[in-house]
Amino acid sequence: VKACRVPGTPAAPRDRAATEERLLAAVGTVLARDGFGAIGVNAVAREAGVDKVLIYRYFGDLPGLLRAWGRSGRFWPSVDELLAARPGLLALPAAERWAGFFAHFIDALRARPLTLEVMAAEIVERNELTAILEAEREQWGEQAFAVLGGPEMAAQPHLRHVTLLLVAGVQHLLLRARRIRVFGGLALHDDADWAALKRSIETLARQVLPQAALTPAPPSRGP
C-alpha cells in the first residue's frame, strides 16, 4: 500500500528540499524570460509546478523567496565559491588575491547567462524586487573586500575605487556580449581574448600593489 501524506502535515525534509530547489530554479526562469514586471507568487509557483502556498510556507513571502534565490549562488558567485575554486587563495600576496578574484569573477559570470539576462532587465526596471538583489550584491561586495582585501588594500583606499571600476567594466562587457561580438577590439565570445584580459589585470595588480606583487619567476643563476 502506497503511503500518502495527510494534507496540512509538514513535508518530509527531502520533499521540502526538492520543492525549494524547484521554486528557486523557477525564480530565475521567470525573471530571465518575462522580466521583473512578471515575477509573482502565482507565476513562480506555476513555473515550478507546485502550490503557491508552499512559497509562503518555506520562504515567508515573495521577497523572502527572492532573497533566498540571490543567496543561493544561482544569481551571483559567492565568496565561498571563489575560495573553494582557489584553495589557498587567502595565503597568497595581495596582488595575487586581487588578480585571482577577477579571474574567477569573469569565469563565474560568463558561466551564468541567466544572471546577465536578469542584470539587463534591472537596468530598465527598478522595483522592490530589483532592490533586494541589489542589496544582496552590495553585501557580497563588502564581504569580498573584507575577505580578499586584507591590510594592503585597507592601507590604500583608492584601490577600492579601482576595484569597483573593474567590477563594473567586467559586467558591462558581459552585458554587451549578449548582443554584440566585439568591443574595442576584444572578441567577447573568445576565450583567448578573455584570458588576455585576465593577464592584463594581473599586470595591473603588480603595478597597484607593488609591495605585494605577484610571485615572480626565480632569477636564473649563471655558472
Side-chain angles (χ1 to χ4, degrees), residues 97-144:
R97 294 198 307 273
W98 204 62
F101 162 78
F102 276 104
H104 176 78
F105 183 63
I106 289 169
D107 291 342
L109 286 190
R110 290 187 73 200
R112 287 172 165 84
L114 182 60
T115 292
L116 299 177
E117 293 300 320
V118 172
M119 289 172 64
E122 285 182 310
I123 293 174
V124 297
E125 185 174 1
R126 179 174 173 79
N127 53 40
E128 178 188 3
L129 300 181
T130 65
I132 289 171
L133 294 181
E134 180 182 325
E136 291 297 325
R137 286 198 300 275
E138 286 296 307
Q139 291 179 13
W140 166 85
E142 292 298 326
Q143 183 187 14

Side-chain angles (χ1 to χ4, degrees), residues 154-187:
Q156 302 181 71
H158 66 280
L159 291 181
R160 185 184 187 95
H161 297 148
V162 173
T163 302
L164 289 174
L165 285 172
L166 284 174
V167 168
V170 167
Q171 292 180 60
H172 177 75
L173 289 174
L174 289 169
L175 287 173
R176 297 280 293 186
R178 296 167 51 256
R179 297 290 182 264
I180 65 172
R181 302 195 66 82
V182 179
F183 183 89
L186 181 74

Side-chain angles (χ1 to χ4, degrees), residues 24-58:
L24 291 171
V27 169
T29 300
V30 174
L31 282 174
R33 184 186 63 214
D34 304 323
F36 282 93
I39 196 76
V41 169
N42 291 329
V44 173
R46 183 166 53 249
E47 183 67 33
V50 303
D51 192 318
K52 67 180 181 181
V53 72
L54 296 178
I55 293 177
Y56 298 104
R57 181 179 300 171
Y58 297 158

Side-chain angles (χ1 to χ4, degrees), residues 15 58-59 76 80 85 140 146 158 205 213 215:
D15 294 340
Y58 297 158
F59 299 98
W76 205 254
D80 288 342
W140 166 85
H158 66 280
T215 306

